[in-house]
Amino acid sequence: MSEQGSERQKRSEIDRRKFVLHSVGLGAGALTLSRLPKARSRRNQQAAGTPLVVTSHSNETGGEAMRQAWEILDGGGTALDAVERGANVIEVDPEDSSVGYGGLPNENGVIQLDASIMDGRTYNAGAVASLENIKTPSSVARLVMERTDHVILVGIGALEFARSFGFQEEDLHTERSRAAWLRWREEHSDRDDWGPPDHLRNLPSPGPDGRDANRDANSGATGPGTNSGLVDQPLDFHYGTTNVLAVDSNGDISGITTTSGLSWKVNGRIGDSPIIGAGLYVDNDIGAAGATGRGEDVIKSCASFYIVLRMGQGRTPQEACEDACELIVQKYRNVNPNFFPSEKFVAVNKAGEYGAASMGNNRGRPRMTVRNAESLQVHEGTTLYTG
Ligand code: ASP
């Protein structure tokens, strides 16, 4: 290995250790502000032209994804290659139930993936929706962008397209995702007949309306980025997606949003992730934004486009993410004041600032992993409207 290569490897190892240390701290609830440089400041700025890459994932895989994406940026590579690498790391992780391999399936037990990619430099975009059996939908989306004159391919068409480029079809279920789905199928309704007969189940007495009066009380709260307790706890709907956004040393900007979508969704349902302007938007003159959470809200508000638009009007990424939360909450406030949406937005701008905001969930402040020339760190944004 060249001296430069081994130096880079050494640096990555150090980065990885730093990140792991940090993750352990998070897991133990020992997050201290001193370990999060600039975490509370509204302007998280680095020098213009300095590369950075971020993801909405804040777990260890998110850290590894950023480490690998950073290697590309640090070596002078493009934002486009960096976001693809970062997204692929998360997509192939079998432990991650929100994206790619091992993602949670739809109501029929079929894992249908949505992904989009946007290249600010060429103002080009590609996406796939309801794609089955391919672990890395973001790479298929990239080919849609680069090798067709279209933006979105869906279902069997997307699969045939992927196959034609040599992508291998694989069962995307892990033992864990299948067990979660089987369990959901047995528990999802208090009126259906899945699962063992009542007299063989160890249940409290059925409530007036159904088989299991305790189901709601036992249901764990779920929210953006959630993928814990899949097998041990009663299952409700789970959200989870990843956004990867990057600025390279030329100042070019790219982004990816990739997901297995809302768990147990109706067969064929497409969320916001493959819709340019909703789950992802990039403007090379301004910045990039991505969304996770209830896709239906994000589609209707064109949230990622709105965030980039607001940044173009002078708002920081942090403020623009909050603006999108505000927009959605205001719309629902007129319709149902008791409804609290649960989206999370992340954004970066051309100057290397970044931010995150979420609303309506009880899981604390939204986190994102950020890698720039300074550090690899987990940044906490703001939570609004927690209900
Ligand atoms: N936005 C995704 C969807 O609605 C799910 C998520 O981010 O949790 O499909």
Side-chain angles (χ1 to χ4, degrees):
M1 189 183 301
S2 71
E3 212 175 292
Q4 215 185 357
S6 85
E7 183 50 34
R8 187 168 301 144
Q9 188 177 338
K10 227 183 325 168
R11 252 186 292 150
S12 324
E13 280 307 310
I14 292 168
D15 289 346
R16 183 158 166 70
R17 270 195 311 239
K18 256 205 253 166
F19 183 83
V20 169
L21 269 179
H22 191 79
S23 309
V24 169
L26 292 182
L31 180 66
T32 59
L33 291 184
S34 59
R35 297 174 77 182
L36 283 177
K38 300 183 183 166
R40 295 286 195 252
S41 79
R42 293 180 68 77
R43 292 199 92 89
N44 303 291
Q45 188 161 18
Q46 59 183 98
T50 311
L52 94 160
V53 58
V54 307
T55 175
S56 53
H57 262 52
S58 59
N59 59 6
E60 200 174 322
T61 308
E64 174 61 16
M66 294 303 89
R67 189 184 68 77
Q68 292 194 26
W70 177 255
E71 286 213 341
I72 291 175
L73 293 178
D74 198 31
T78 63
L80 189 62
D81 287 341
V83 293
E84 184 182 14
R85 173 73 66 81
N88 285 170
V89 169
I90 298 169
E91 287 170 330
V92 301
D93 176 7
E95 296 300 315
D96 194 304
S97 58
S98 63
V99 185
Y101 180 46
L104 290 178
N106 67 15
E107 63 178 4
N108 294 346
V110 179
I111 299 171
Q112 294 184 324
L113 306 176
D114 295 342
S116 61
I117 186 167
M118 193 158 179
D119 179 2
R121 191 181 36 141
T122 56
Y123 196 56
N124 206 0
V128 289
S130 287
L131 176 64
E132 297 175 13
N133 299 342
I134 305 290
K135 279 183 176 170
T136 52
S138 62
S139 293
V140 184
R142 180 169 178 172
L143 283 167
V144 173
M145 173 173 81
E146 292 180 338
R147 310 309 309 167
T148 77
D149 188 37
H150 306 313
V151 171
I152 308 182
L153 296 182
V154 63
I156 188 69
L159 179 60
E160 282 170 4
F161 175 84
R163 269 195 221 126
S164 75
F165 281 91
F167 284 81
Q168 292 300 312
E169 278 197 72
E170 293 169 83
D171 182 0
L172 298 184
H173 268 297
T174 56
E175 260 179 51
R176 189 162 175 255
S177 64
R178 189 178 300 283
W181 174 67
L182 289 171
R183 182 158 182 180
W184 173 79
R185 191 172 67 174
E186 292 190 357
E187 295 182 353
H188 79 284
S189 165
D190 55 10
R191 292 192 183 83
D192 73 18
D193 292 323
W194 287 106
D198 284 358
H199 69 281
L200 296 179
R201 285 163 59 118
N202 183 20
L203 289 175
S205 338
D209 293 333
R211 301 164 51 131
D212 184 354
N214 269 357
R215 195 180 75 86
D216 285 345
N218 289 335
S219 290
T222 59
T226 300
N227 58 36
S228 58
L230 292 181
V231 179
D232 306 336
Q233 294 164 21
L235 294 170
D236 226 326
F237 288 92
H238 284 250
Y239 292 104
T241 290
T242 198
N243 317 115
V244 184
L245 310 173
V247 182
D248 63 30
S249 48
N250 286 326
D252 290 323
I253 308 171
S254 287
I256 281 178
T257 292
T258 179
T259 190
S260 51
L262 178 64
S263 67
W264 336 129
K265 60 195 174 185
V266 173
N267 185 29
R269 176 263 191 188
I270 293 171
D272 57 310
S273 305
I275 298 181
I276 300 298
L280 175 71
Y281 195 71
V282 177
D283 183 319
N284 218 41
D285 295 324
I286 302 170
T292 65
R294 187 171 176 260
E296 282 68 13
D297 301 333
V298 179
I299 291 171
K300 286 184 287 185
S301 59
C302 303
S304 292
F305 177 78
Y306 182 69
I307 292 167
V308 174
L309 181 84
R310 295 294 284 158
M311 290 194 290
Q313 293 167 340
R315 304 283 277 168
T316 64
Q318 180 60 47
E319 290 165 344
C321 289
E322 291 173 11
D323 290 345
C325 294
E326 180 79 23
L327 173 75
I328 293 172
V329 166
Q330 290 307 333
K331 290 295 172 199
Y332 282 121
R333 189 164 283 168
N334 298 332
V335 179
N336 176 2
N338 297 320
F339 179 72
F340 287 91
S342 61
E343 282 74 60
K344 167 179 161 184
F345 302 112
V346 297
V348 300
N349 67 14
K350 204 170 174 70
E353 294 177 292
Y354 50 87
S358 68
M359 59 189 150
N361 69 76
N362 300 317
R363 311 189 79 80
R365 295 164 60 145
R367 290 175 178 165
M368 65 197 289
T369 309
V370 180
R371 180 63 166 104
N372 57 21
E374 283 172 15
S375 63
L376 176 69
Q377 62 159 306
V378 173
H379 169 73
E380 280 192 336
T382 53
T383 300
L384 295 90
Y385 306 109
T386 51

